Amino acid sequence: MNQQDKIREELALIENWDPAIPLIEIEDMRKAFGDHEVLKGFNLKLFDKENLVIVGKSGSGKSVLLKCIVQLESMDSGMLKVLGQDIAELDHEKLDRIRANVGFLFQGSALYDSMTVRENLQFPLRRHPERRRGDEESSLILDALKSVGLVDAIDLMPSELSGGMKRRIALARTLILRPKIILYDEPTSGLDPITSKEIIELILEIQQEYGTASLIITHDMDCARVISNRMIILVNGINYAEGTYHELLNSKDSNIRAFFKGA
Amino acid sequence: MAQKIKHTIRLGIFVTVGAILFTLSVYSIGNRQNLFGKRYRISTLINNAYGLQVGNNVRYTGITVGSVERISFRNDSTLKVDMILDDEVKDYIKKDAIASISTDGLVGNVIVNITPGSGNGRPINNGDIIESYSRTDPNDLLNSLGNTNENIALLSLNLLEITEKINDGEGTVSRLIGDAQMANEVAKSLSNMQTVTKHLITMSEQLNYSIKQISEGNGLLPYLLHDNTIQHQMESFISNLDSLIIEENKPVMANLKTASEDVTVATNELKIVLETLNKGEGSATTILRDTAVAQDLKDVFRNLNEGTARFNENMEALKHNFLFKKYFKKQEKERKKQEKKSKS
Amino acid sequence: MPNKSIYFSGLMNYFEETGKVTLFAIRFFKEAFKPPYEWKELIRQCYLIGYQSLVLVAITGFIMGLVLDLQTRPTMIEFGAESYMPSMIGISIVREIGPVITALICAGKIGSGIGAELGSMRVTEQIDAMEVSGTNPFKFLVVTRIWATTLMLPILVIMADAVGLFGSWIVENLKGDVTFALFFNQVFNNIEFGDLIPSTIKSFFFGFAIGLIGCYKGYYTSKGTAGVGAAANTAVVVASLLLFVFDLIAVLITDIFYEI
C-alpha cells in the first residue's frame, strides 16, 4: 500500500467516523509550568458533531489544554487521543495529518500580517494538497469566504480588516481544510457584544454546514449558552463539573454559581 | 500578482548588479595579478629581496607587465624570484634583459624593474632566467654621500698632517729648504754675498709671484681656501715657509766668511732649488702649483662638486616628489617671507 | 553593595543564552538543507531584506565615502601623500569600513525588523497557527530569513563599497582634480584578493549573525507586546556586538592566511 492510498484511507475513516467513538479523548492530563501545576488530572471526551464548551477563569489552563491537543504544548503525563491516535507518540508527518483534521481558531485570529486574505487562506493548503479533494484552490478559497460572508475581502491585507472581520477570515482559514474538529480559543474575546453575537451565530452555522465537532474555550457565558450542547467547568485544573448549560445554571455549588453571576 | 513579479525582477536586478560589481572587482584585481588570459613565467636570481613580496608588480621600461609569483631560496645567499608576465610583452623582453629590485617612489612598494639589454638578444622564453644587478636604493645613495663626506674629512686631515710635517721639518719640502749641508754651503759663499742677496731678492720676488698667483685665484690653492681651516692652515704654512727661509738664512750670514769658495756652487744649488720651486717640481711645489698631484686633487674636488650637484639634483627630485612637496613648498614660502623682510 | 549572586546569575544567564543561540544555529543548519524548501518565501525575504535596504545602505555608503575622504585628506596632504588617497580609501572601505558599516546599518534595520516581526508573530500566535496548519514555522520564517540575510549582506556590502568609493571620488575630483579612471585605477591597483575575498566571506558571516540573532530573539519572544519591543531591541544590540566579535575573528584569521 503506497503513501497516497494510506492517506486516502485515513481520510475516509475520519469522514465516516463512528459516532460512538470520541474524537478527542483525554484522561488524567497533567501539565505544569515550573512549580505551577495548571492541569491536575483533566478528563474529557469530545464526540462527533458535538459542541463542547469549557469554561474557566483566566489562568486556569484552558488555552494550554487546547494547545496540548494539537501538540503546540506537550503534556507532562496522561493519555491524549485525537481521532483515535495517541498524539504524543506520532512522528511529525503523521502529526501534521492529524492536525489537518483539527482546526484551531486562535484567540487573536492569528492572521499572517504579511499576507493578503487570499494568501492566508492558501497557506494551510500548501502542505495539505490532499485536503483539496480535487477542487481548485481558488474555488475552495471562495467557498470558505462565502461561508463567513467576506468574499469581497479577498485581496485585502489583515491590517485593513476590523477585529470581527479578522475573526471571520481566521475561521475561513480554519475551514478551508474541512476539519473534523474545530478548537475555538476564546472566539469572542476582544470583540464588542454585537460582533460577538455575529461570531457565535457564525460558529453555529458553520457547525451545521460542515458537520464539525467543536471544542470551545471561553469565559463568555452568553457564548456558552448559545453554542453548547454540553459544558465542562474547569476549576483548579480538573473538570470540576459537567452538564448542559441549564443543568449547571441551576447548580447550588458556589464555585459553579460564580461563573453564572453575570449571566 | 503583477506586483509580485515586479519584486522578483527588482531582486533579480539587485543581485545581478551586485554580482557584476563583485566580478568586476575580482577581474580588476585578477587582471593585475595576471590570473586570466595568457601569461608566462620568467625568473631572476638576486642576493637581496629588499622586502619584495609575492604579488608585487613587475615593470618593464616603466610599464607594469606582471607580478611576482614566488620568492624562494636558491642557496644561502641567492634568492630566486619567479615572475608572471603578460603574454603581450613577451616579444619585447630579450634574453639579455636585466632585472633589478627597486622601490616605486621613495617610500612606495618594492617592485621588480626589468630594463632592456643590448636589444640584440633573442626574445625571452617561458621559464628563462634573466640577469640581475643590485639596485641602488635611497640607502645606497645616502651611503655614498656619507662616503664623500668622510673623504672630505680625510682630505683636510691629510692637509693638516702635511703642514704639520712641514712645520716639524720633516719631508722633502723642509729638507729642501732646511738641509744643514746646503746651509753650510751657503755659509761658505760669503764672498758671493752680493750674488746671494741678489738671488735672495729674486727668490722673494718669485715667492711673491707665487703668493700673488694664489691670491689671484690661479692654481689649486684657491680651491682649498674655500675652507676656512684649510685657509688658516695654508696661511700658517706660508708664514712658516717665510720664517723658515729667514731662520735658515741666519747661519748663512754667520758662516759667510768660512764658506766663501762654495758660495757660487751653493747659490747655484739654491738657484736650482728656487728654480725647481718656480718650475713646479718637488713635493712642496707640487702642493703649491698645479701638476699631476694637483690635478688629482682637482679631480677629487670636481668629483665632490659633482657629488653635491647630484645631491642637489636628488633634492630637486625630492622636491617634485608628492611626499615632500608640502615641506618644500613651506620652505619656499619661508624663504620668500625672509626675502621680503630683508628687503623692507 | 552588589551581591555576588547577581554576578553569578548574570553569568549563568549569559551562558544559557549562548547555549540557546548555539542550539538555534544548529537547528538552522539541520533544517536549512532539508526539503521542502520555501523558495517563494526566501525570494520574498531576499527582496525585503536585500533590495529594500539598498537605498539606506547606498546613502550611508555614499556619505561614508565622502566623510572618510574629507577627513583623511588634510592629514595625507600634510604628509605629501595626497596621491595615495585613492588606494588608502579603497583599502579601508573594501577591507573594513564597507562591511562593518553596512552590517551595523543592517543590524539596525533588518535585525530589529526580523526581531519585531517574528516577535509579534509569536505573541499573536501566528507562529502557532503556522505550526498547526502543517507548515514548519522554523523553516518558513527562520530558515528563509537567515538565508536571506546571509546571501544579501555581501551584495549590500559590495554596493556600499561601490557607492562609498564613488563618494570619495567625488571629493577627490572636486578638491584634487582626480579623474574617474585614475581614481579607480589606483584603487584597484592596490586592492589585493587578500582584501576583497576575506571581507566578502566576512560579510556572509555578518549577514548570518544578523539573521540568526534577529530570528532567535523574535522566535522566542514572550510576555506580550512589551516582549516584542524587547526582542527588537536586544536583537540589534546583540547582533551589533556579535558583528564586532566576528570582525575580530575574521581579521585574525585573515592575518593568518594573507599576512597583511
Side-chain angles (χ1 to χ4, degrees):
Chain A
M1 191 160 39
N2 66 28
Q3 191 74 4
Q4 291 287 317
D5 293 334
K6 217 167 145 187
I7 291 167
R8 218 168 288 138
E9 196 170 282
E10 259 178 37
L11 265 176
L13 181 74
I14 289 163
E15 258 160 42
N16 308 309
W17 192 259
D18 181 355
I21 303 167
L23 292 168
I24 298 175
E25 194 176 359
I26 298 172
E27 262 174 36
D28 194 30
M29 182 192 265
R30 284 170 191 277
K31 173 75 184 172
F33 292 101
D35 295 335
H36 179 56
E37 202 171 23
V38 184
L39 296 173
K40 304 168 186 172
F42 186 78
N43 298 302
L44 178 147
K45 275 194 177 90
L46 179 73
F47 291 94
D48 200 11
K49 296 189 173 61
E50 181 187 31
N51 288 346
L52 175 60
V53 173
I54 299 172
V55 291
K57 289 175 189 153
S58 55
S60 59
K62 298 171 292 176
S63 292
V64 175
L65 175 67
L66 285 196
K67 286 189 174 170
C68 283
I69 292 171
V70 288
Q71 285 291 291
L72 286 173
E73 300 269 3
S74 53
M75 59 185 180
D76 297 339
S77 66
M79 196 271 287
L80 169 58
K81 273 188 176 175
V82 178
L83 296 168
Q85 310 238 31
D86 195 337
I87 206 151
E89 307 279 298
L90 296 177
D91 63 28
H92 209 273
E93 201 183 317
K94 278 182 183 162
L95 178 66
D96 270 346
R97 286 212 295 277
I98 294 291
R99 277 169 170 176
N101 289 302
V102 183
F104 200 126
L105 186 74
F106 288 90
Q107 195 170 352
S109 305
L111 294 180
Y112 308 129
D113 296 323
S114 55
M115 302 177 199
T116 63
V117 168
R118 186 203 301 275
E119 285 163 334
N120 261 287
L121 266 61
Q122 275 170 347
F123 200 85
L125 286 171
R126 54 200 291 280
R127 288 276 166 261
H128 296 289
E130 78 279 2
R131 289 270 153 188
R132 286 185 198 167
R133 296 168 171 89
D135 289 340
E136 280 295 310
E137 193 178 79
S138 53
S139 70
L140 279 173
I141 290 167
L142 277 177
D143 282 352
L145 284 174
K146 261 180 212 155
S147 307
V148 297
L150 276 175
V151 179
D152 294 341
I154 188 158
D155 285 321
L156 295 179
M157 297 298 284
S159 55
E160 296 169 295
L161 304 173
S162 70
M165 286 162 93
K166 275 187 194 166
R167 206 59 56 93
R168 283 162 189 259
I169 300 295
L171 188 54
R173 187 177 67 185
T174 313
L175 288 172
I176 203 154
L177 291 180
R178 310 272 168 94
K180 192 77 182 160
I181 311 159
I182 299 178
L183 310 176
Y184 296 91
D185 189 359
E186 306 264 12
T188 59
S189 79
L191 300 177
D192 61 85
I194 297 164
T195 318
S196 295
K197 217 177 155 199
E198 282 172 16
I199 294 293
I200 290 162
E201 278 161 14
L202 183 66
I203 290 169
L204 280 174
E205 277 171 35
I206 297 291
Q207 202 251 335
Q208 260 134 49
E209 188 183 337
Y210 288 83
T212 55
S214 305
L215 184 61
I216 300 141
I217 278 175
T218 188
H219 57 262
D220 177 355
M221 295 316 285
D222 275 338
C223 172
R225 179 173 52 83
V226 178
I227 294 175
S228 67
N229 306 127
R230 195 154 64 90
M231 278 176 72
I232 291 176
I233 287 177
L234 177 62
V235 176
N236 294 329
I238 53 162
N239 34 349
Y240 188 77
E242 228 177 302
T244 64
Y245 180 81
H246 290 285
E247 281 168 18
L248 291 170
L249 182 66
N250 300 324
S251 167
K252 299 279 189 291
D253 193 309
S254 63
N255 274 333
I256 297 168
R257 290 206 64 81
F259 284 98
F260 293 92
K261 253 180 194 160
Chain B
M1 219 49 196
Q3 189 76 3
K4 259 259 163 87
I5 290 161
K6 244 172 136 187
H7 284 183
T8 327
I9 289 170
R10 279 190 214 164
L11 178 66
I13 294 168
F14 170 71
V15 173
T16 312
V17 170
I20 287 171
L21 281 174
F22 184 74
T23 318
L24 274 180
S25 39
V26 167
Y27 184 77
S28 304
I29 298 167
N31 212 15
R32 187 160 54 80
Q33 298 190 352
N34 291 303
L35 290 188
F36 311 109
K38 276 180 89 179
R39 53 199 189 144
Y40 67 104
R41 284 181 179 77
I42 61 167
S43 314
T44 188
L45 302 174
I46 52 168
N47 298 327
N48 189 338
Y50 295 104
L52 190 74
Q53 283 181 324
V54 171
N56 277 133
N57 285 340
V58 176
R59 292 211 181 132
Y60 176 65
T61 57
I63 298 166
T64 304
V65 292
S67 61
V68 173
E69 190 196 24
R70 207 159 68 95
I71 302 167
S72 51
F73 279 102
R74 249 302 174 80
N75 54 48
D76 58 350
S77 65
T78 314
L79 296 165
K80 186 170 174 241
V81 178
D82 299 327
M83 297 165 275
I84 311 173
L85 302 187
D86 268 345
D87 205 52
E88 289 170 24
V89 294
K90 195 173 177 179
D91 295 338
Y92 303 107
I93 301 181
K94 312 289 185 197
K95 288 201 174 193
D96 58 356
I98 297 161
S100 65
I101 292 174
S102 53
T103 35
D104 188 5
L106 200 61
V107 292
N109 284 328
V110 182
I111 55 171
V112 178
N113 243 325
I114 300 175
T115 38
S118 62
N120 302 323
R122 302 228 322 275
I124 204 155
N125 288 324
N126 199 10
D128 277 356
I129 296 182
I130 59 170
E131 288 289 312
S132 75
Y133 72 86
S134 335
R135 64 164 186 173
T136 45
D137 70 342
N139 284 336
D140 293 348
L141 193 75
L142 293 173
N143 280 344
S144 61
L145 273 175
N147 286 340
T148 315
N149 278 338
E150 275 173 26
N151 289 343
I152 291 171
L154 270 176
L155 194 71
S156 57
L157 212 73
N158 286 342
L159 273 172
L160 198 77
E161 255 176 53
I162 290 167
T163 48
E164 269 174 357
K165 278 180 182 171
I166 293 170
N167 282 346
D168 295 348
E170 284 173 25
T172 331
V173 178
S174 49
R175 212 181 300 150
L176 272 171
I177 298 161
D179 196 20
Q181 204 196 331
M182 188 195 75
N184 285 336
E185 279 164 0
V186 171
K188 284 174 200 165
S189 62
L190 184 67
S191 59
N192 289 322
M193 181 58 202
Q194 294 291 332
T195 339
V196 170
T197 39
K198 218 168 146 193
H199 280 304
L200 272 172
I201 289 160
T202 328
M203 186 189 77
S204 65
E205 265 173 11
Q206 279 163 344
L207 258 175
N208 272 341
Y209 172 72
S210 290
I211 288 158
K212 205 173 143 203
Q213 271 205 327
I214 289 163
S215 58
E216 270 170 12
N218 299 332
L220 161 74
L221 273 174
Y223 282 116
L224 297 177
L225 295 180
H226 281 298
D227 194 316
N228 273 344
T229 47
I230 293 171
Q231 195 183 344
H232 287 143
Q233 281 158 1
M234 286 314 281
E235 270 167 15
S236 65
F237 166 55
I238 290 157
S239 70
N240 285 338
L241 212 59
D242 279 343
S243 62
L244 257 173
I245 293 161
I246 295 159
E247 284 293 308
E248 294 299 331
N249 278 326
K250 274 179 187 166
V252 174
M253 304 294 265
N255 295 313
L256 265 177
K257 281 180 182 172
T258 47
S260 56
E261 300 110 324
D262 289 319
V263 145
T264 329
V265 190
T267 12
N268 279 341
E269 277 180 359
L270 193 63
K271 217 174 174 181
I272 291 163
V273 169
L274 292 168
E275 262 166 18
T276 25
L277 256 174
N278 275 341
K279 277 177 190 163
E281 286 164 16
S283 315
T285 48
T286 312
I287 292 168
L288 289 174
R289 310 195 134 265
D290 293 351
T291 53
V293 176
Q295 189 62 44
D296 285 348
L297 265 172
K298 225 178 181 177
D299 283 347
V300 169
F301 275 94
R302 206 197 313 115
N303 288 342
L304 258 173
N305 268 341
E306 263 174 30
T308 44
R310 275 192 204 132
F311 185 63
N312 276 340
E313 259 174 40
N314 279 326
M315 292 306 273
E316 198 60 38
L318 271 178
K319 265 186 208 180
H320 294 293
N321 193 305
F322 51 85
L323 255 176
F324 297 97
K325 216 183 228 169
K326 176 97 180 181
Y327 169 73
F328 283 107
K329 262 187 191 165
K330 229 181 212 170
Q331 256 195 352
E332 184 86 78
K333 243 184 233 165
E334 204 75 6
R335 205 166 52 83
K336 273 181 187 164
K337 224 187 260 170
Q338 292 272 328
E339 266 172 30
K340 241 185 206 171
K341 238 184 223 171
S342 59
K343 263 180 201 168
S344 65
Chain C
M1 235 343 240
N3 200 326
K4 252 189 185 171
S5 65
I6 291 172
Y7 296 127
F8 183 75
S9 71
L11 196 67
M12 285 300 116
N13 273 343
Y14 163 76
F15 284 136
E16 198 185 346
E17 279 287 289
T18 310
K20 278 182 180 169
V21 171
T22 312
L23 284 178
F24 198 75
I26 290 168
R27 189 171 167 197
F28 165 77
F29 284 115
K30 267 187 189 163
E31 304 218 6
F33 301 102
K34 222 166 51 183
Y37 304 111
E38 305 284 358
W39 292 116
K40 247 176 109 179
E41 178 68 6
L42 176 65
I43 287 166
R44 200 178 78 91
Q45 287 304 325
C46 284
Y47 173 76
L48 291 175
I49 287 165
Y51 182 83
Q52 296 214 329
S53 306
L54 180 60
V55 175
L56 180 70
V57 164
I59 292 171
T60 324
F62 184 74
I63 294 172
M64 172 184 87
L66 282 180
V67 170
L68 187 66
D69 199 294
L70 284 170
Q71 296 273 41
T72 323
R73 245 183 104 72
T75 322
M76 292 294 266
I77 288 175
E78 195 126 321
F79 286 115
E82 194 185 345
S83 62
Y84 273 131
M85 281 298 290
S87 46
M88 201 219 77
I89 295 276
I91 285 176
S92 42
I93 284 183
V94 169
R95 249 194 213 169
E96 189 63 27
I97 299 172
V100 170
I101 296 276
T102 310
L104 281 179
I105 290 287
C106 289
K109 184 185 184 285
I110 299 168
S112 66
I114 292 176
E117 191 191 6
L118 293 195
S120 65
M121 286 186 85
R122 169 63 73 193
V123 299
T124 58
E125 297 176 309
Q126 289 177 49
I127 291 177
D128 288 339
M130 259 177 208
E131 176 90 52
V132 295
S133 64
T135 296
N136 181 347
F138 192 90
K139 204 161 236 171
F140 189 82
L141 299 172
V142 175
V143 173
T144 54
R145 277 165 178 77
I146 295 181
W147 267 129
T149 53
T150 311
L151 295 174
M152 288 299 110
L153 205 79
I155 299 178
L156 286 172
V157 167
I158 287 280
M159 301 240 175
D161 287 355
V163 178
L165 287 174
F166 184 75
S168 308
W169 169 69
I170 286 179
V171 176
E172 284 294 305
N173 186 254
L174 292 178
K175 294 218 160 186
D177 271 341
V178 177
T179 62
F180 189 82
L182 177 64
F183 184 87
F184 281 92
N185 211 0
Q186 287 234 28
V187 167
F188 283 113
N189 263 332
N190 288 282
I191 298 176
E192 306 281 339
F193 278 127
D195 302 320
L196 184 70
I197 303 298
S199 80
T200 308
I201 294 169
K202 187 159 85 174
S203 308
F204 278 104
F205 282 98
F206 286 174
F208 177 75
I210 293 167
L212 181 76
I213 299 299
C215 287
Y216 169 76
K217 287 293 174 187
Y219 202 73
Y220 291 121
T221 303
S222 53
K223 296 175 195 123
T225 39
V228 177
N233 190 15
T234 47
V236 176
V237 174
V238 177
S240 307
L241 274 175
L242 201 60
L243 289 181
F244 284 109
V245 175
F246 276 21
D247 193 35
L248 179 67
I249 295 169
V251 169
L252 295 178
I253 291 173
T254 312
D255 258 1
I256 296 169
F257 284 107
Y258 286 93
E259 291 171 27
I260 297 163

